[in-house]
Amino acid sequence: MQHVDFMHLVRLSEQACESDARAYRRSVWWFAALGYAAVIAIGLAALASLLALGWAWRQRGFSGWMVWPGLAAAALLLACTRALLIRFEAPEGFRVEPADAPRLFDALERMRRRVKGPPIDVVLIVPEFNAAAVHQPRWGLWGHTNYLLIGWPMLCSLEPRRLLTVIAHEYGHLRGEHGKFSAWVYRTRSAWARIQERYQHDDSPLSWLFSRFFAWYFPRFYARTFAMARQDEYEADRIAAELCSAEVVGQAYNEIQVKARWYDEEYWLAVWRRAALQDKPEPLPHAEMQAALLQPPPPAFAQEALRLALQRLPTYDDTHPVPRDRLAALGQKPQLPDWSQHNAVSWLGAAAARAARHFDTLWWQEMRRDWARHHEHLRRCKQRIDTLKARTAQLDADGWLEWAECFEALSGADSSAFYERALRCEPSHPEAMRGLAARRAQGADPGALDLLERLQAEHVQHGYAACSMALELLDRVQHAGHDVTAKTRRAWRERLERFETLEAQAWQAFSSAHPCEHAVAPRLKDSERKLLTEALIRTREVEAGWVCGKQVGVMPGRAYLVLFVRLKRLDEARANAVVRRLMQLPAFAGLLQVTVVDLHVRERQMIEAGAQPLYQRAAR
């Protein structure tokens, strides 16, 4: 299906949901039933073929021609059975019992009585900055278990009443028949996605049959259910506002937008920088979170995080509404909140210390060898800085850039001086210009525009990045209260459009081909290899990673890369989240394609393409 057709179907589903929600949900049910009916019909046809072959064998005796039809029918029946009986693994985490956390379970019981919803059967604390409610089948079609997952970082960041709004939102997804139906639709969507991924790269006749059907069916099913999934998010917000007040929900949401970005971008970076001084982090990171995540983020970071959250636009890749729309639906303003003064960890009672130890033990078992490698890397950075210091008078631009990279690995302090020295040696050095402009732009320094002007004019391969940084800088400057003329903004937008066209042509050539086609040896500097490795280390879902280069005729001077990752647990939703996260690495923007082994490509194809091992997580 073409993307424009998919978007059209999504808009139709949104219109149908708005005009008659009940009729819309009935149409979703019937279309979901069509998928099951098709699989059942194919399975019954396969079973009938096997029975006919058995009857022929009994009446006329065995004949050689029966072998291949019998194998094909058996394989088809097995595939249909597997499609109908796809298992969903139960969530994992640190289980909390009512005796451990009576205040938390009392709050959950009060919430259940007020909305007349189903009970929460299992409460799990998980290591992600997130919360979720999972409606899990227990015995096939009969019985379900309701899980509530609360992220440990979120417990450490929010005061109890704000955390309660998050729980209320997730609980809203379980309430009533709509909650059960939405959960069933979500599981169905995940199951069909798995089947489509499983068969779309297989060349067998059986796979051709399934892939053709699901290539037609799944995009239409996803488009039909999109509006329902997004509407359920608004409904869950409404329930949370009824229980806790819209004002508290808005405060919690604003605080989460800032602290979640701080957690992702700054907290773990600071933890790993401690490897320069410590053989083992003390205190361990999850124990430290109880105090660290309660601290207000720096004002400049908080303002920037909120601005970026409000800039997000709705997409059809994510059923969650964007922050601006969610706050508007609640009647709340996007603004920095009064930060939580105490966190909700106290709700866990005696279980809090055990939960922190649990996550820190798992983290250290998983990261011990990675920490040792990073400790050694930072030690080498120190040594390299000492070597470069001794040769200061002889350093060229690349030497100063290397010093900057080592300095940034060890410290979060401003590294602009190193890029300035590099430009004194070579005024048109593209990486030095881009590095200095980026650091000045972070401080909303309008002087960075002059550097970006030169960068886009002299180095076409950096033109799109330069224009994007310039427009981002103009937004920051304007957000800080300074005037930005329409002429200046228009000039940069026109440049960006020109570079967008060129980049689109290059990206289309890069991403449209199979990840293993046109593969070449990767052109990676040691620092870039380290950045990729560190990203994989921080992405705990990744078990192993490989990298190869890719040749793109539209922009032959650029080093494109394909990063192959294998996940510890293969799950389509988890895989998409990992791909999105890794694709956002700033240093590789527009240069990196991430693909999941055994989901998007086979390991054999990757090896034949010459992918080089990059990272292997140590076994516990």
Side-chain angles (χ1 to χ4, degrees):
M1 176 184 289
Q2 297 293 324
H3 185 64
V4 65
D5 297 325
F6 174 79
M7 292 174 63
H8 178 65
L9 286 177
V10 170
R11 292 192 184 104
L12 289 178
S13 74
E14 290 174 333
Q15 293 170 6
C17 183
E18 290 175 3
S19 61
D20 191 338
R22 288 189 176 183
Y24 163 71
R25 285 182 176 258
R26 284 196 301 270
S27 71
V28 168
W29 189 94
W30 282 111
F31 200 74
L34 172 65
Y36 283 104
V39 174
I40 291 171
I42 295 172
L44 290 176
L47 179 61
S49 300
L50 285 174
L51 293 175
L53 287 170
W55 180 84
W57 187 346
R58 183 173 181 179
Q59 295 294 319
R60 305 173 190 173
F62 177 76
S63 179
W65 66 267
M66 299 178 180
V67 174
W68 290 112
L71 290 175
L76 191 59
L77 180 60
L78 177 62
C80 292
T81 304
R82 291 174 64 185
L84 294 173
L85 299 178
I86 284 184
R87 294 183 59 187
F88 291 87
E89 297 182 12
E92 297 180 353
F94 178 84
R95 183 162 181 165
V96 179
E97 302 292 348
D100 297 320
R103 292 175 61 191
L104 172 60
F105 282 85
D106 287 346
L108 293 178
E109 179 58 23
R110 290 195 301 270
M111 186 186 304
R112 186 193 69 79
R113 288 198 300 265
R114 285 189 62 182
V115 302
K116 299 178 181 179
I120 298 294
D121 301 303
V122 179
V123 175
L124 297 175
I125 308 302
V126 295
E128 295 83 15
F129 199 117
N130 197 11
V134 179
H135 190 64
Q136 184 81 12
R138 191 181 302 161
W139 303 297
L141 299 176
W142 293 275
H144 295 83
T145 300
N146 292 319
Y147 292 85
L148 175 64
L149 280 60
I150 308 175
W152 174 256
M154 192 171 279
L155 275 162
C156 296
S157 300
L158 301 179
E159 62 189 25
R161 64 172 185 158
R162 292 183 182 177
L163 180 68
L164 193 61
T165 69
V166 179
I167 296 173
H169 171 93
E170 299 303 330
Y171 190 74
H173 288 304
L174 299 176
R175 192 185 72 159
E177 294 302 318
H178 278 194
K180 293 180 181 178
F181 179 65
S182 298
W184 175 74
V185 167
Y186 173 81
R187 290 195 302 273
T188 301
R189 189 165 60 232
S190 299
W192 292 157
R194 289 191 197 181
I195 296 170
Q196 185 189 32
E197 292 288 352
R198 178 186 300 165
Y199 291 112
Q200 69 178 352
H201 298 305
D202 199 327
D203 298 328
S204 68
L206 170 65
S207 299
W208 180 87
L209 176 63
F210 270 89
S211 62
R212 288 296 291 269
F213 171 71
F214 280 106
W216 174 85
Y217 177 80
F218 179 71
R220 288 165 175 80
F221 180 71
Y222 186 88
R224 281 175 180 263
T225 58
F226 184 90
M228 183 181 71
R230 181 162 286 180
Q231 195 62 39
D232 285 344
E233 294 295 331
Y234 285 118
E235 176 66 12
D237 279 345
R238 186 188 64 78
I239 293 171
E242 286 182 1
L243 290 172
C244 307
S245 87
E247 181 182 1
V248 177
V249 174
Q251 291 171 349
Y253 197 65
N254 285 323
E255 186 166 10
I256 288 169
Q257 292 303 308
V258 175
K259 285 192 172 179
R261 183 174 288 273
W262 172 260
Y263 173 78
D264 287 337
E265 295 184 2
E266 298 295 332
Y267 179 75
W268 283 108
L269 186 61
V271 167
W272 281 94
R273 279 183 177 141
R274 283 158 51 191
L277 302 173
Q278 297 177 326
D279 293 332
K280 178 180 179 179
E282 292 293 345
L284 285 163
H286 293 87
E288 187 185 27
M289 284 179 198
Q290 298 181 58
L293 296 186
L294 192 59
Q295 297 301 314
F301 181 94
Q303 288 285 357
E304 179 65 6
L306 186 62
R307 184 186 69 82
L308 292 174
L310 298 177
Q311 274 189 339
R312 286 171 50 194
L313 298 175
T315 71
Y316 293 131
D317 297 326
D318 188 359
T319 57
H320 290 82
V322 296
R324 185 181 294 275
D325 291 346
R326 293 182 75 167
L327 289 168
L330 292 166
Q332 299 299 305
K333 293 181 179 179
Q335 58 188 2
L336 292 181
D338 295 328
W339 304 107
S340 296
Q341 298 300 306
H342 56 282
N343 58 37
V345 170
S346 58
W347 268 7
L348 299 185
R354 296 202 306 274
R357 283 196 302 271
H358 170 79
F359 292 124
D360 278 328
T361 299
L362 293 178
W363 180 84
W364 184 242
Q365 287 174 352
E366 188 174 351
M367 297 294 178
R368 182 174 60 250
R369 294 185 183 180
D370 297 330
W371 185 272
R373 283 194 290 264
H374 192 60
H375 177 77
E376 178 62 22
H377 167 70
L378 294 183
R379 186 188 65 81
R380 288 196 298 269
C381 284
K382 284 182 177 180
Q383 292 178 343
R384 188 59 184 156
I385 286 177
D386 291 339
T387 302
L388 293 169
K389 271 184 181 178
R391 299 177 48 246
T392 300
Q394 292 81 38
L395 288 183
D396 59 6
D398 289 334
W400 285 107
L401 286 182
E402 185 181 3
W403 194 340
E405 291 171 1
C406 292
F407 179 83
E408 289 164 1
L410 292 164
S411 170
D414 185 18
S415 57
S416 298
F418 301 103
Y419 294 99
E420 291 170 353
R421 294 293 295 268
L423 287 174
R424 288 181 204 167
C425 298
E426 189 177 333
S428 294
H429 194 290
E431 282 75 22
M433 292 169 66
R434 183 168 173 172
L436 181 58
R439 277 137 196 87
R440 288 182 175 174
Q442 286 176 356
D445 179 3
L449 287 174
D450 295 334
L451 272 174
L452 294 171
E453 178 87 33
R454 288 176 50 208
L455 182 62
Q456 62 87 26
E458 298 173 16
H459 305 282
V460 176
Q461 71 272 29
H462 295 284
Y464 179 81
C467 295
S468 298
M469 280 196 287
L471 288 169
E472 188 80 8
L473 173 59
L474 293 176
D475 287 341
R476 290 179 181 177
V477 169
Q478 190 170 32
H479 190 73
H482 302 289
D483 290 333
V484 175
T485 65
K487 180 180 179 181
T488 300
R489 191 181 292 276
R490 184 170 60 251
W492 281 107
R493 281 181 178 160
E494 289 173 354
R495 290 170 180 161
L496 182 66
E497 289 173 3
R498 291 198 303 270
F499 285 113
E500 271 182 340
T501 302
L502 183 61
E503 291 287 347
Q505 294 171 357
W507 179 256
Q508 178 65 21
F510 175 41
S511 62
S512 60
H514 190 276
C516 297
E517 288 182 5
H518 311 300
V520 295
R523 287 187 286 167
L524 270 176
K525 295 188 292 187
D526 288 342
S527 58
E528 293 171 334
R529 186 178 293 273
K530 181 62 180 174
L531 282 174
L532 280 178
T533 304
E534 288 176 346
L536 295 181
I537 289 173
R538 291 194 299 268
T539 308
R540 293 190 285 183
E541 299 91 339
V542 171
E543 181 180 69
W546 299 260
V547 65
C548 74
K550 202 165 187 178
Q551 195 169 21
V552 177
V554 178
M555 203 171 286
R558 179 176 287 174
Y560 287 93
L561 298 170
V562 180
L563 177 63
F564 301 90
V565 296
R566 180 193 287 136
L567 304 185
K568 298 177 190 172
R569 193 170 68 187
L570 198 59
D571 174 83
E572 191 253 348
R574 187 187 300 268
N576 288 340
V578 168
V579 168
R580 284 196 298 269
R581 198 182 318 159
L582 292 174
M583 290 278 284
Q584 292 173 356
L585 291 172
F588 301 96
L591 307 174
L592 182 67
Q593 183 179 4
V594 182
T595 189
V596 179
V597 177
D598 297 328
L599 185 62
H600 304 140
V601 299
R602 297 177 180 176
E603 185 172 350
R604 173 179 55 80
Q605 294 174 305
M606 177 193 69
I607 293 173
E608 290 174 353
Q612 299 178 4
L614 181 67
Y615 173 71
Q616 175 68 55
R617 197 174 296 279
R620 291 183 184 175

